[in-house]
Amino acid sequence: MTRDDSSERGTEPVPDGGTATGEDDVVLDPWGSATVSDYRKLFEEFGIEEFDDVLPDVPNPHYLMRRSVIFGDRGYRRVTEAMRNDEPFAALSGFMPTGDPHIGHKLVFDELIWHQQQGGDTYGLIADLEAHSARGLSWEEIDEHARDYLLSLIALGFDPEEGTLYRQSENRELQDLAFELGSKANFSEFQSIYGFDGETNVSHVQSVVTQMADILYPQLSEPKPTVIPVGPDQDPHVRLARDLAVRMRYFGVTKAYASFEADEEELSHVAAAYEARKEYADDPDMPRCEDAAAWLAENGDPDVPAVETTISKLENAGMEPLRPRVRFLDRNATEEAYDALIDAIEGEKRVFDEHIDVFDYSRQDAKALAREVEMDNGGYGFIMPSSIYHRFMTGLTGGKMSSSIPASHISLMDDPEDGYDKVKSATTGGRETAEKQRELGGKADECPVYELYAYLLAGDDDEFTKRVYDECVGGERLCGDCKEQAAQLMREFLEDHQEKREEAEELLDGLDIELESSRR
């Protein structure tokens, strides 16, 4: 079950948890050297869900999903449901133009394009404010790199007539949204999440709020499930954006059993007492809170703190009936919006200063009504955004692929012969000698060259990918021949991609996007 599915169980959506840094071998830094030596730790320490759990629900899954290159998600099931039901959904990802786009960036390009092909409203943005504030690039440098990213995105199949391309610095709607989101965040959070301190410049802080606005931007016209395809190093941004989406909502919709407030754990104990009402209530149709408290005192675990606080709340409610209801919480509503919600609710309701209890609505219907009233009264009605996470590509020289280490990556703009040579010089997962390779097999799971096949060169051909893997670990495939085949395929890919980039030049020049910054 995804993290935001907790809201379907009767409680408010909860923060995703985790910090930017876990154990020594898991560091999630959106601007630094993010490292993940064991992807399983991301599930345990940061609450990322395993993508394999949702994969069966994905219509026509991309090969990056089928091969577990996309390994994790937050709340993606909501997007798959929209796909299957032909309902609106969106996908967005951004590119910080600090260097040439390379084959590692192609993963995100492909994920955006695939979601567009599935019918999603798709957004590609140039994170130029972030590049200027966090990396100190000049606007001239940013303009040059931004054009290259956009050309490669279009050349790979992004349809700019159906999708949206924009620059942070030129999008006033985005900047206005960032201002509103900033009212719900504070610097202490940024210290905790990103490690900001007194030396952090204010523009860098502002760029983070702008990225939160990017993530929620597809929902400005209407709330819709939205997925953000990224590497795991961007997870801190996703978690904060999900929290801000909740904070911006006018109303929360929760489940309750009495007039008092209960957190998620307390609510589970109240629910248990309600389910056991036939054991203690004179009238099971009207169990009393104080009787439920006595039952819980006898049957609950006294060492669990929430049991003690739940008993106290039930005792204080006295003879009030224990009765399931849906609760609308006033989180940020204006007085006019709160009154409008009261008027819109049909049937039995109990109105309090900060919440309204109703008895004739399902959770789903109540949430739909809350969003409708919010939007009719000037709110956004945001749906908590989702995310999918792909593995980092290993650099051709080992370690992480990095734009700052030319030998570690292949630029999408490299001369095809240079791409061929880089693959031929790449580190492999082979044994020390051909004899040992034939005897023991290669270590494909540790091989940057095999990754090239799985992530890029094999395309949609799973059978070819599997054959390369099986031949490697079975000792039939030697590294020299394997690299030669990969190098030839890389040369062909670069030749084809660069021809398509040239074709995209005229299209890009005709789009409604500023290719030269007004800030130069």
Side-chain angles (χ1 to χ4, degrees):
M1 180 171 285
T2 54
R3 172 76 60 169
D4 53 334
D5 283 330
S6 64
S7 63
E8 303 301 325
R9 299 194 298 272
T11 63
E12 287 268 64
V14 295
D16 289 300
T19 59
T21 304
E23 300 297 332
D24 292 341
D25 54 356
V26 181
V27 179
L28 300 184
D29 180 355
W31 303 285
S33 299
T35 58
V36 180
S37 63
D38 185 349
Y39 284 88
R40 290 171 299 181
K41 289 186 178 293
L42 295 175
F43 307 135
E44 300 165 5
E45 296 178 19
F46 298 97
I48 291 175
E49 305 289 334
E50 296 190 52
F51 192 81
D52 283 349
D53 292 343
V54 74
L55 180 60
D57 297 328
V58 180
N60 186 32
H62 192 274
Y63 70 79
L64 293 173
M65 299 174 174
R66 301 195 304 264
R67 296 173 196 164
S68 296
V69 178
I70 295 174
F71 69 91
D73 75 282
R74 288 191 189 276
Y76 190 61
R77 196 176 304 277
R78 179 174 278 154
V79 177
T80 68
E81 290 172 355
M83 286 185 199
R84 293 198 310 273
N85 297 327
D86 197 26
E87 296 172 348
F89 71 96
L92 172 143
S93 201
F95 312 99
M96 187 162 58
T98 57
D100 291 346
H102 58 64
I103 56 175
H105 298 122
K106 182 180 179 293
L107 299 179
V108 181
F109 293 154
D110 286 345
E111 291 167 56
L112 274 183
I113 293 164
W114 179 83
H115 281 94
Q116 185 179 60
Q117 292 168 345
Q118 308 313 304
D121 298 328
T122 312
Y123 298 73
L125 69 102
I126 298 298
D128 54 359
L129 291 177
E130 182 184 9
H132 186 64
S133 64
R135 295 291 177 83
L137 266 71
S138 70
W139 291 104
E140 290 80 4
E141 292 173 303
I142 290 170
D143 286 349
E144 177 184 351
H145 295 314
R147 184 181 185 88
D148 289 332
Y149 276 88
L150 294 172
L151 281 173
S152 280
L153 178 60
I154 294 170
L156 288 166
F158 184 88
D159 184 348
E161 301 298 332
E162 294 295 326
T164 301
L165 300 173
Y166 70 87
R167 297 176 62 143
Q168 291 174 327
S169 64
E170 303 292 334
N171 189 326
R172 182 54 191 266
E173 262 193 329
L174 176 83
Q175 294 167 28
D176 289 345
L177 176 58
F179 182 84
E180 296 297 331
L181 293 174
S183 70
K184 300 298 180 184
N186 58 65
F187 188 70
S188 64
E189 283 184 295
F190 288 7
Q191 288 176 304
S192 174
I193 296 170
Y194 302 111
F196 287 173
D197 57 26
E199 300 300 315
T200 304
N201 70 66
V202 175
S203 292
H204 193 174
V205 177
Q206 185 179 4
S207 77
V208 172
V209 183
T210 302
Q211 289 170 83
M212 302 302 102
D214 285 324
I215 292 172
L216 295 173
Y217 183 70
Q219 298 191 55
L220 271 185
S221 58
E222 64 169 332
K224 61 175 77 71
T226 301
V227 60
I228 313 299
V230 286
D233 56 333
Q234 301 301 303
D235 183 57
H237 291 329
V238 172
R239 282 184 278 126
L240 179 56
R242 284 164 60 85
D243 287 350
L244 288 176
V246 172
R247 295 178 208 174
M248 292 293 288
R249 293 295 309 277
Y250 278 6
F251 306 106
V253 177
T254 68
K255 190 173 182 179
Y257 288 86
S259 60
F260 59 80
E261 292 294 331
D263 62 27
E264 183 175 7
E265 191 173 358
E266 291 170 337
L267 191 64
S268 68
H269 297 303
V270 176
Y274 179 78
E275 292 301 321
R277 61 191 182 279
K278 291 183 179 180
E279 299 180 20
Y280 60 82
D282 293 335
D283 180 0
D285 293 331
M286 193 70 70
R288 304 293 179 175
C289 286
E290 61 181 21
D291 295 330
W295 178 89
L296 186 59
E298 183 176 344
N299 294 277
D301 186 344
D303 295 327
V304 176
V307 170
E308 182 179 350
T309 58
T310 304
I311 291 171
S312 176
K313 290 180 178 182
L314 287 167
E315 288 175 342
N316 289 336
M319 291 294 289
E320 179 184 348
L322 205 60
R323 184 182 177 193
R325 79 277 313 266
V326 172
R327 174 165 295 163
F328 293 93
L329 296 171
D330 180 358
R331 189 185 287 132
N332 291 303
T334 62
E335 184 176 345
E336 292 78 9
Y338 194 64
D339 290 341
L341 178 62
I342 294 171
D343 292 340
I345 295 171
E346 298 178 353
E348 184 181 358
K349 57 193 169 188
R350 294 182 182 175
V351 179
F352 302 87
D353 288 341
E354 296 182 352
H355 71 264
I356 307 165
D357 286 356
V358 298
F359 302 89
D360 302 321
Y361 281 76
S362 67
R363 288 287 312 288
Q364 183 176 356
D365 289 343
K367 290 171 72 174
L369 178 62
R371 181 169 280 113
E372 179 183 344
V373 170
E374 176 178 342
M375 297 185 67
D376 286 345
N377 287 271
Y380 295 102
F382 289 135
I383 293 172
M384 192 184 289
S386 307
S387 52
I388 54 176
Y389 303 96
H390 55 255
R391 298 176 185 272
F392 294 125
M393 283 195 79
T394 306
L396 299 178
T397 53
K400 185 187 174 185
M401 187 171 289
S402 171
S403 298
S404 61
I405 306 174
S408 76
H409 73 271
I410 295 173
S411 166
L412 296 176
M413 300 159 61
D414 272 349
D415 183 282
E417 291 303 322
D418 290 340
Y420 174 93
D421 291 339
K422 284 184 178 181
V423 176
K424 289 286 287 184
S425 301
T427 301
T428 72
R431 304 291 178 175
E432 295 84 352
T433 66
E435 289 74 18
K436 284 190 175 181
Q437 180 91 348
R438 292 189 181 96
E439 177 187 354
L440 302 174
K443 295 179 281 187
D445 293 315
E446 302 174 15
C447 181
V449 176
Y450 172 70
E451 280 189 12
L452 292 177
Y453 285 102
Y455 289 35
L456 187 157
L457 299 177
D460 204 45
D461 192 341
D462 289 344
E463 185 178 335
F464 176 42
T465 311
K466 185 176 186 302
R467 185 166 67 250
V468 171
Y469 183 90
D470 290 344
E471 288 177 356
C472 173
V473 299
E476 302 169 52
R477 176 175 284 251
L478 300 182
C479 293
D481 293 339
C482 188
K483 286 203 290 185
E484 175 62 28
Q485 184 180 23
Q488 291 180 15
L489 291 171
M490 181 62 72
R491 179 168 55 198
E492 293 170 9
F493 164 75
L494 291 174
E495 289 172 347
D496 178 68
H497 178 67
Q498 288 164 22
E499 286 178 10
K500 290 176 179 175
R501 277 176 57 94
E502 291 178 8
E503 296 169 4
E505 286 275 4
E506 185 176 350
L507 178 58
L508 178 60
D509 289 335
L511 296 178
D512 184 22
I513 182 171
E514 295 293 335
L515 298 175
E516 184 171 303
S517 173
S518 60
R519 303 181 182 225
R520 290 177 65 158

